[in-house]
Amino acid sequence: MIQAILVFNNHGKPRLVRFYQRFPEEIQQQIVRETFHLVLKRDDNICNFLEGGSLIGGSDYKLIYRHYATLYFVFCVDSSESELGILDLIQVFVETLDKCFENVCELDLIFHMDKVHYILQEVVMGGMVLETNMNEIVAQIEAQNRLEKSESGGQ
Amino acid sequence: MVPVGRGMPFIPSVLAVVGAGAARMSRDTPWCLEAFYLIPPGTHANEGIQVGRGKSKEAEIKRINKELANIRSKFKGDRALDGYSKKKYVCKLLFIFLLGHDIDFGHMEAVNLLSSNRYTEKQIGYLFISVLVNSNSELIRLINNAIKNDLASRNPTFMGLALHCIANVGSREMAEAFAGEIPRILVAGDTMDSVKQSAALCLLRLYRTSPDLVPMGDWTSRVVHLLNDQHLGVVTAATSLITTLAQKNPEEFKTSVSLAVSRLSRIVTSASTDLQDYTYYFVPAPWLSVKLLRLLQCYPPPDPAVRGRLTECLEAILNKAQEPPKSKKVQHSNAKNAVLFEAISLVIHHDSEPNLLVRACNQLGQFLQHRETNLRYLALESMCTLASSEFSHEAVKTHIETVINAPQTERDVSVRQRAVDLLYAMCDRSNAQQIVAEMLSYLETADYSIREEIVLKVAILAEKYAVDYTWYVDTILNLIRIAGDYVSEEVWYRVIQIVINRDDVQGYAAKTVFEALQASACHENLVKVGGYILGEFGNLIAGDPRSSPLTQFHLLHSKFHLCSVPTRALLLSTYIKFVNLFPEVKGTIQDVLRSDSQLKNADVELQQRAVEYLRLSTVASTDILATVLEEMPPFPERESSILAKLKKKKGPSTVTDLEEAKRERSADVNGGPEPAPASTSAVSTPSPSADLLGLGAAPPAPAGPPPSSGGLLVDVFSDSPSAAAPLAPGSEDNFARFVCKNNGVLFENQLLQIGLKSEFRQNLGRMFIFYGNKTSTQFLNFTPTLICSDDLQANLSLQTKPVDPAVDGGAQVQQAVNIECVSDFTEAPVLNIQFRYGGTFQNVSVKLPITLNKFFQPTEMASQDFFQRWKQLSNPQQEVQSIFKAKHPMDTEVTKAKIIGFGSALLEEVDPNPANFVGAGIIHTRTAQIGCLLRLEPNLQAQMYRLTLRTSRETVSQRLCELLSEQF
């Protein structure tokens, strides 16, 4: 199961935070900070897996992450997930963001926070992988966009 | 801009913030990373709020508080907000929350949005609820109401939103409200694929949080059939659901095995074009394949028919790994290898196809040298589990040269850590010296984060595989020299225990510590070990003028002033021991004790010792001194405290309060409805530091507090035999399987798995019992008890410690049993386990496979000797013979393996008839050693065996014959 999905930039500013296990707000912020420090000190071309920080359960959990330009995408998972599978899932998520925003950048995550959440919801639901097929995900998002347009047209 | 990260040929412009972002936003001010914006959805940047980089943190907080006040006033205002504004402000709140500020309002507005008919308003409402979960009960009632309406709306988009919300929040209240409804949606014929997908995962989430609220029912068989669904997304979601359900209800979902295998087979062998869009970089449906392989790991190897098909799949996956890649993209190799690693996990889990196991091992061996760090990491990790399989332990060992270099050559600490783990797992008597040496040399440069763990591992391996105890002493002293700060008390207590218990190594230890202490700067832990050992065994090296008593004393005393109070206290004890060992240094030592810095020491412990020791040395006669300061008696053997420490370090965070555990236990005894174990103290544990006069603040009090009588070990049930459950079905079969092997799974039901790992040497043995909680719920009052009949208790001594009474969901706890065979025995002990699972009391009993043959030591002998002894044992009581029908195929190799597994030597070219098998060995008990000869004559035509046992004791012949004849 995926416990948490954290996206933050090279300075540790959170850009997308989603927890699938209940943590008090304060702990959530601490987990983001701890995770940031864990991945920040790692070189760029070493492996993409490491043991989770103490707050999120230590060695029972793995952090699987990718670093793109200014952003880190970190998935915190338990042992029931395939490491390489999750690594590819991050890629699917980012590629989907890229398709939906046409050249996604950090700003899109800020300006369209709601939309980013909706895209994520099509990929991961309640900590489980919902859909991995990018075309299917994009089709869902486009359907949402059409709904939104028709509603704002009627306003 | 090229993305950072290894081998990521990614869309070049993705997330290239500075270029693309700034241009598209068409802003004058350059985009800076520190800035943040509060922007309503769909508006332009310049409508938002910005706090620039130059502003202080206070300014940011001020700005945010202003914005919060603004939103609050809008919400509270007289004018009703339109849906768009509500949506805008709710979105702003979410953003402020993301930045780490508490949001304590807005929930009501979000809930109002749920009942909107506009999709976008509903959507943001649900998002807010899922991210900022609130436990206010009034609110929950409203939310549940909204969800109920949406689920009933038959509008798939609305249903999807509602299901997402349930899955993301997953609270117990929601489970109560919807656990009945969701299975219906999931299996209804007219539900759309996307809704089915969501419903499956939603149900999974609810089952995880509240399994008791999701009863199995008619729907289960229909869920299994979703594995045949047309839509691969539905199949993937259903597989996740079934995997979790099957872990706790294996019977209910047994049929999923053959369906999963045939689905897997279709994916693996299909041309990838069949799989619509689910082909990912030329790999057909990798995520689904991974999930299916995971599902199959919930079950033992399937029936032969299905098994053949599964083996084909696994072989196909292994074969594909050898094919040239269809794409150079890292995504291709990742996806392909994700499937491959999962297939290997399944092979390891089944642990039954030697051929596949060896192929898996070779494949992992290739990955160990792969240029992709991720693959090396995963290969090391998988090999670790492979090393524990009987079939492949040897195959894993062939890669030792690669693994042994990894800690030194890998750039990544995660990978180095895995390499150390694997070295630890693959270590056995044949390579222990090499591996320990390598770990020691790695320790000099190892990352601080993993040093303590390596220290523990080295200490354990050195002890476990020491043939030559001088090597053990050298290793531990090296350990202290290299990484003294990381050597915990358990480690140096242990070396002292071992030196005291083994007189063959005491002289060497004294000499070695003496030499090590010569170094100008030595670690305080070395001073402790040195002080203790010289105090006990300094006399063994005192004959050499280079280490005369006075030299020894001066050497130790030169370190005294640099040490902490506990070490000084220990050294004072050493000095008084010297007074006894070496009367010639008495004067010197008395002078030291008499000095003001000792007698008037500010530390009360040191002062007291100095005063008492000085007085003791003055008033006591030599005889009394010799009695008081006698050499320490051997320590009782028990589980290594180091191992316990490592387990604690590695294990899940189950640091339950010891006190609490005790309280629970005693509460149990007093008033629990369960039959309370009538514990009798069968083993008394003398305090290890029972020296007189309380001198024994001296260190070695190794294994924690002495067990209280309530927690005692070999509980005898002679009073209340009805308390334990009758033996679990299949217990006898499982028991028989362990006669010729030592490791494996002894018992498994839906809740609990019991695994065994044991080792025997001469008349001693140690068995590790692993209790795995297969559920996600904590077991309470978990109490395993060993039950021996009076008869058995006299002949077999068992010692163990109680386990933590709370076993977390998914966790495994371990219990070590120390075994001593006092005299030959026939019965087997019974392991009774009682615990509470979700309010119900569970009681399981299994026979523990500790059998007489475990204390066999093989004896090689020539044909002539064999027959000579055979004749000597010709007394009719000494021979027992049994003729029986073969229960298994009569395979020579298997038979040989079983005889060796039974413990006796297999003697080749002894029997004139090459078809026969003969064996010889000695049964070791505390009271006697019993020579045993055996002969097994197969008759292939009749499918029969004749087994003859000759031993010097009738009961032994009888029992061995019974045990062995069940095996063929």
Side-chain angles (χ1 to χ4, degrees):
Chain A
M1 180 182 171
I2 301 166
Q3 308 291 327
I5 292 171
L6 312 175
V7 179
F8 40 73
N9 69 13
N10 290 347
H11 300 262
K13 275 264 176 229
R15 291 303 178 218
L16 171 69
V17 173
R18 198 69 205 258
F19 282 88
Y20 296 101
Q21 192 190 341
R22 283 292 304 272
F23 287 104
E25 281 83 11
E26 224 168 287
I27 305 287
Q28 291 189 10
Q29 290 298 324
Q30 283 178 25
I31 290 175
V32 173
R33 277 197 295 277
E34 190 186 44
T35 311
F36 170 65
H37 288 294
L38 281 173
V39 296
L40 182 72
K41 65 180 181 202
R42 293 173 61 83
D43 286 348
D44 267 324
N45 42 4
I46 58 180
C47 88
N48 300 80
F49 322 124
L50 68 158
E51 280 182 4
S54 56
L55 292 169
I56 206 151
S59 57
D60 289 352
Y61 294 97
K62 279 211 175 81
L63 302 176
I64 296 171
Y65 74 100
R66 273 177 186 271
H67 186 193
Y68 297 99
T70 66
L71 290 178
Y72 285 95
F73 284 71
V74 187
F75 281 39
C76 174
V77 303
D78 66 12
S79 62
S80 69
E81 299 289 342
S82 150
E83 289 91 345
L84 290 173
I86 294 291
L87 201 55
D88 275 349
L89 190 69
I90 298 177
Q91 181 74 11
V92 168
F93 178 44
V94 177
E95 281 186 39
T96 311
L97 288 176
D98 196 61
K99 270 204 180 154
C100 296
F101 289 114
E102 293 159 14
N103 280 339
V104 66
C105 71
E106 188 176 344
L107 273 184
D108 292 313
L109 269 63
I110 299 164
F111 289 124
H112 305 287
M113 195 193 57
D114 50 341
K115 192 135 270 168
V116 174
H117 268 291
Y118 300 147
I119 294 171
L120 180 61
Q121 280 189 358
E122 294 301 325
V123 183
V124 176
M125 169 172 166
M128 298 300 304
V129 181
L130 177 65
E131 184 55 72
T132 53
N133 172 357
M134 208 187 317
N135 294 338
E136 189 96 356
I137 302 166
V138 174
Q140 292 284 349
I141 297 297
E142 277 167 358
Q144 286 180 19
N145 290 345
R146 279 196 299 278
L147 262 175
E148 189 181 341
K149 234 176 230 145
S150 73
E151 281 180 1
S152 62
Q155 206 167 15
Chain B
M1 183 188 263
V2 180
V4 193
R6 183 167 34 79
M8 244 171 287
F10 195 53
I11 310 111
S13 59
V14 161
L15 303 176
V17 169
V18 181
R24 203 145 48 83
M25 303 319 295
S26 64
R27 293 170 50 82
D28 299 327
T29 40
W31 164 246
C32 76
L33 294 170
E34 289 300 302
F36 67 88
Y37 291 78
L38 301 173
I39 309 275
T43 48
H44 274 287
N46 50 9
E47 275 182 50
I49 320 138
Q50 184 204 346
V51 176
R53 181 208 287 274
K55 307 280 170 61
S56 64
K57 183 84 185 163
E58 289 92 87
E60 177 188 317
I61 292 175
K62 217 168 135 191
R63 185 71 194 83
I64 284 186
N65 284 339
K66 196 175 156 204
E67 187 60 30
L68 284 174
N70 176 36
I71 300 172
R72 205 187 292 260
S73 73
K74 294 277 189 214
F75 281 162
K76 290 247 169 80
D78 304 332
R79 213 157 52 87
L81 287 175
D82 60 17
Y84 174 80
S85 310
K86 270 194 208 158
K87 196 171 80 180
K88 178 169 85 178
Y89 292 126
V90 166
C91 198
K92 281 189 179 194
L93 288 179
L94 276 175
F95 190 76
I96 294 174
F97 178 70
L98 173 72
L99 291 175
H101 300 268
D102 276 348
I103 302 294
D104 53 5
F105 67 101
H107 295 85
M108 208 33 154
E109 285 69 20
V111 172
N112 287 340
L113 285 173
L114 297 186
S115 46
S116 163
N117 273 329
R118 284 174 182 279
Y119 173 72
T120 47
E121 288 169 16
K122 216 184 246 304
Q123 196 183 24
I124 191 92
Y126 273 124
L127 179 60
F128 187 93
I129 303 285
S130 320
V131 174
L132 278 143
V133 186
N134 189 297
S135 50
N136 175 325
S137 58
E138 177 59 14
L139 219 49
I140 285 172
R141 206 179 51 77
L142 292 171
I143 296 169
N144 279 359
N145 225 1
I147 292 176
K148 194 166 283 168
N149 290 337
D150 281 335
L151 284 183
S153 70
R154 307 190 63 76
N155 172 339
T157 336
F158 288 2
M159 287 171 86
L161 286 176
L163 289 169
H164 266 103
C165 181
I166 301 174
N168 287 330
V169 176
S171 67
R172 193 157 173 93
E173 289 86 354
M174 286 192 176
E176 275 163 1
F178 303 110
E181 176 66 15
I182 291 165
R184 273 200 291 280
I185 298 177
L186 176 58
V187 297
D190 56 349
T191 307
M192 284 182 53
D193 286 338
S194 63
V195 177
K196 263 191 206 165
Q197 233 169 318
S198 304
L201 295 184
C202 186
L203 186 58
L204 167 54
R205 177 60 196 257
L206 293 185
Y207 186 76
R208 281 227 171 98
T209 24
S210 323
D212 52 315
L213 295 179
V214 185
M216 299 298 110
D218 299 342
W219 55 273
T220 51
S221 62
R222 300 178 66 182
V223 166
V224 172
H225 283 279
L226 288 179
L227 290 176
N228 277 333
D229 202 281
Q230 293 282 319
H231 190 277
L232 285 202
V234 173
V235 184
T236 311
T239 313
S240 298
L241 173 64
I242 295 169
T243 305
T244 304
L245 293 175
Q247 278 163 2
K248 285 157 204 165
N249 313 281
E251 274 304 304
E252 202 97 22
F253 291 92
K254 229 172 29 190
T255 47
S256 64
V257 172
S258 61
L259 290 178
V261 170
S262 61
R263 189 91 221 194
L264 182 68
S265 155
R266 265 179 284 160
I267 297 170
V268 174
T269 54
S270 74
S272 46
T273 46
D274 304 352
L275 295 165
Q276 312 129 26
D277 292 332
Y278 285 83
T279 298
Y280 179 78
Y281 289 89
F282 305 102
V283 183
W287 283 279
L288 178 55
S289 309
V290 165
K291 294 268 175 217
L292 290 168
L293 288 161
R294 277 278 155 131
L295 169 59
L296 292 170
Q297 286 174 55
C298 301
Y299 287 94
D303 307 330
V306 182
R307 193 172 178 166
R309 201 156 175 205
L310 176 59
T311 307
E312 275 170 28
C313 291
L314 294 172
E315 276 169 349
I317 294 169
L318 285 165
N319 289 341
K320 276 189 193 166
Q322 299 299 331
E323 288 170 11
K326 292 194 177 119
S327 155
K328 285 212 162 46
K329 297 236 176 185
V330 70
Q331 285 86 348
H332 171 69
S333 86
N334 273 353
K336 193 164 126 180
N337 291 327
V339 178
L340 177 61
F341 273 107
E342 217 51 60
I344 290 176
S345 293
L346 181 62
V347 169
I348 298 173
H349 169 80
H350 282 170
D351 196 16
S352 62
E353 302 267 352
N355 174 31
L356 284 176
L357 279 163
V358 170
R359 282 193 67 184
C361 187
N362 292 340
Q363 182 61 54
L364 293 177
Q366 285 182 17
F367 282 149
L368 286 182
Q369 321 226 26
H370 204 280
R371 60 183 170 78
E372 274 274 328
T373 320
N374 287 339
L375 294 181
R376 294 199 301 276
Y377 174 98
L378 294 172
L380 288 166
E381 193 176 58
S382 295
M383 267 213 181
C384 236
T385 43
L386 199 56
S388 57
S389 155
E390 290 172 48
F391 295 112
S392 46
H393 184 81
E394 289 303 315
V396 170
K397 273 166 63 186
T398 57
H399 300 287
I400 188 165
E401 292 309 326
T402 317
V403 183
I404 216 157
N405 289 324
Q408 307 278 10
T409 53
E410 285 292 347
R411 296 207 305 122
D412 183 353
V413 57
S414 308
V415 184
R416 290 197 290 263
Q417 167 108 47
R418 291 286 93 80
V420 172
D421 286 348
L422 177 55
L423 283 177
Y424 180 74
M426 72 202 285
C427 190
D428 62 19
R429 208 171 285 283
S430 70
N431 55 22
Q433 300 224 353
Q434 190 190 5
I435 285 179
V436 166
E438 182 56 34
M439 281 172 135
L440 274 175
S441 92
Y442 169 50
L443 195 54
E444 310 218 21
T445 54
D447 314 75
Y448 296 111
S449 55
I450 60 176
R451 279 196 185 180
E452 189 182 355
E453 201 181 310
I454 300 177
V455 167
L456 291 172
K457 287 183 163 158
V458 168
I460 290 169
L461 294 177
E463 180 186 338
K464 193 166 169 197
Y465 296 116
V467 183
D468 173 3
Y469 277 85
T470 59
W471 172 73
Y472 171 74
V473 169
D474 285 341
T475 305
I476 302 292
L477 291 183
N478 261 329
L479 207 54
I480 295 174
R481 185 178 57 75
I482 296 168
D485 286 342
Y486 297 89
V487 173
S488 57
E489 291 190 328
E490 287 86 353
V491 173
W492 72 264
Y493 285 178
R494 191 72 188 155
V495 67
I496 286 174
Q497 281 182 322
I498 285 177
V499 169
I500 287 182
N501 288 10
R502 303 196 59 96
D503 43 19
D504 52 334
V505 76
Q506 289 160 355
Y508 180 81
K511 181 167 156 285
T512 317
V513 292
F514 178 79
E515 279 161 10
L517 283 169
Q518 307 281 346
S520 52
C522 53
H523 195 273
E524 189 163 332
N525 278 335
L526 181 67
V527 179
K528 291 179 186 162
V529 175
Y532 200 95
I533 288 183
L534 291 179
E536 295 291 325
F537 309 113
N539 55 327
L540 299 177
I541 55 167
D544 186 329
R546 282 167 301 175
S547 52
S548 71
L550 202 59
T551 324
Q552 288 185 35
F553 172 72
H554 283 311
L555 180 60
L556 284 176
H557 200 54
S558 69
K559 317 280 181 200
F560 188 91
H561 304 282
L562 304 168
C563 292
S564 63
V565 169
T567 310
R568 289 187 194 191
L570 184 153
L571 285 178
L572 288 178
S573 298
T574 302
Y575 297 168
I576 190 70
K577 289 238 165 188
F578 273 6
V579 169
N580 174 46
L581 288 180
F582 314 121
E584 64 265 39
V585 298
K586 184 170 170 181
T588 319
I589 287 175
Q590 282 177 331
D591 288 345
V592 168
L593 293 176
R594 202 176 285 126
S595 71
D596 278 358
S597 60
Q598 308 296 351
L599 276 189
K600 294 185 180 168
N601 195 296
D603 186 274
V604 66
E605 174 69 33
L606 293 181
Q607 195 187 82
Q608 187 178 358
R609 285 190 185 217
V611 171
E612 288 178 359
Y613 291 166
L614 181 60
R615 191 79 192 131
L616 179 68
S617 70
T618 331
V619 300
S621 71
T622 332
D623 286 353
I624 292 179
L625 268 185
T627 316
V628 172
L629 301 169
E630 202 185 10
E631 195 179 296
M632 291 290 286
F635 291 90
E637 269 308 321
R638 59 185 109 187
E639 187 195 357
S640 161
S641 47
I642 313 176
L643 205 58
K645 170 135 184 166
L646 181 70
K647 267 179 264 159
K648 202 161 129 198
K649 216 176 139 48
K650 291 297 271 185
S653 46
T654 46
V655 197
T656 324
D657 194 348
L658 189 67
E659 282 309 306
E660 197 177 8
K662 270 195 200 136
R663 228 179 315 125
E664 226 168 81
R665 196 171 283 272
S666 62
D668 235 353
V669 174
N670 297 337
E674 305 85 67
S679 25
T680 25
S681 309
V683 194
S684 80
T685 321
S687 167
S689 51
D691 18 0
L692 303 178
L693 292 178
L695 310 188
S708 69
S709 67
L712 224 264
L713 322 196
V714 184
D715 291 340
V716 189
F717 262 103
S718 44
D719 302 342
S720 51
S722 58
L727 287 182
S731 170
E732 288 291 341
D733 289 352
N734 267 349
F735 178 79
R737 284 198 297 115
F738 277 89
V739 168
C740 293
K741 67 173 195 175
N742 287 332
N743 306 330
V745 174
L746 176 66
F747 171 82
E748 184 155 14
N749 67 10
Q750 296 178 5
L751 309 175
L752 177 72
Q753 186 190 53
I754 305 176
L756 295 182
K757 225 177 173 136
S758 41
E759 283 181 333
F760 294 87
R761 214 172 65 197
Q762 301 194 327
N763 68 322
L764 299 178
R766 176 172 295 172
M767 176 177 275
F768 290 98
I769 310 178
F770 299 87
Y771 305 99
N773 180 346
K774 291 168 65 181
T775 71
S776 58
T777 314
Q778 202 183 38
F779 291 165
L780 293 172
N781 303 346
F782 187 84
T783 329
T785 318
L786 294 172
I787 305 169
C788 298
S789 68
D790 290 347
D791 247 9
L792 182 57
Q793 214 188 2
N795 297 328
L796 186 70
S797 143
L798 300 177
Q799 285 184 34
T800 183
K801 282 193 208 151
V803 300
D804 192 324
V807 182
D808 283 347
Q812 193 184 57
V813 297
Q814 179 179 346
Q815 186 179 31
V817 184
N818 286 333
I819 306 160
E820 185 182 8
C821 176
V822 180
S823 177
D824 67 280
F825 59 96
T826 310
E827 292 167 73
V830 171
L831 173 65
N832 172 246
I833 298 123
Q834 308 188 349
F835 59 94
R836 285 194 161 277
Y837 165 71
T840 56
F841 172 62
Q842 306 284 332
N843 191 350
V844 175
S845 284
V846 284
K847 256 167 106 173
L848 202 59
I850 301 174
T851 47
L852 185 56
N853 64 298
K854 300 293 177 193
F855 305 96
F856 237 136
Q857 292 286 305
T859 322
E860 293 292 340
M861 57 179 78
S863 173
Q864 200 185 347
D865 292 342
F866 183 84
F867 284 107
Q868 194 187 341
R869 288 176 205 209
W870 186 262
K871 279 192 204 108
Q872 282 166 3
L873 294 168
S874 55
N875 197 325
Q877 292 97 40
Q878 292 173 331
E879 182 183 289
V880 173
Q881 196 168 70
S882 160
I883 297 170
F884 52 90
K885 208 156 178 66
K887 288 194 284 283
H888 304 284
M890 298 176 78
D891 180 313
T892 313
E893 290 310 309
V894 174
T895 308
K896 282 185 180 168
K898 280 185 176 164
I899 292 177
I900 292 169
F902 191 63
S904 74
L906 180 73
L907 304 177
E908 305 273 2
E909 295 173 15
V910 166
D911 200 301
N913 178 353
N916 292 348
F917 306 92
V918 294
I922 296 171
I923 297 277
H924 288 256
T925 72
R926 193 203 289 163
T927 49
Q929 300 196 348
I930 303 141
C932 310
L933 303 175
L934 68 89
R935 187 178 196 188
L936 180 72
E937 298 157 274
N939 180 338
L940 279 171
Q941 280 83 44
Q943 290 285 302
M944 300 282 279
Y945 287 102
R946 179 165 68 193
L947 175 65
T948 316
L949 256 296
R950 284 193 181 185
T951 78
S952 48
R953 194 176 289 186
E954 188 184 354
T955 47
V956 173
S957 303
Q958 194 72 46
R959 180 59 180 157
L960 290 181
C961 186
E962 273 167 34
L963 286 169
L964 192 55
S965 57
E966 289 298 309
Q967 299 298 318
F968 300 105

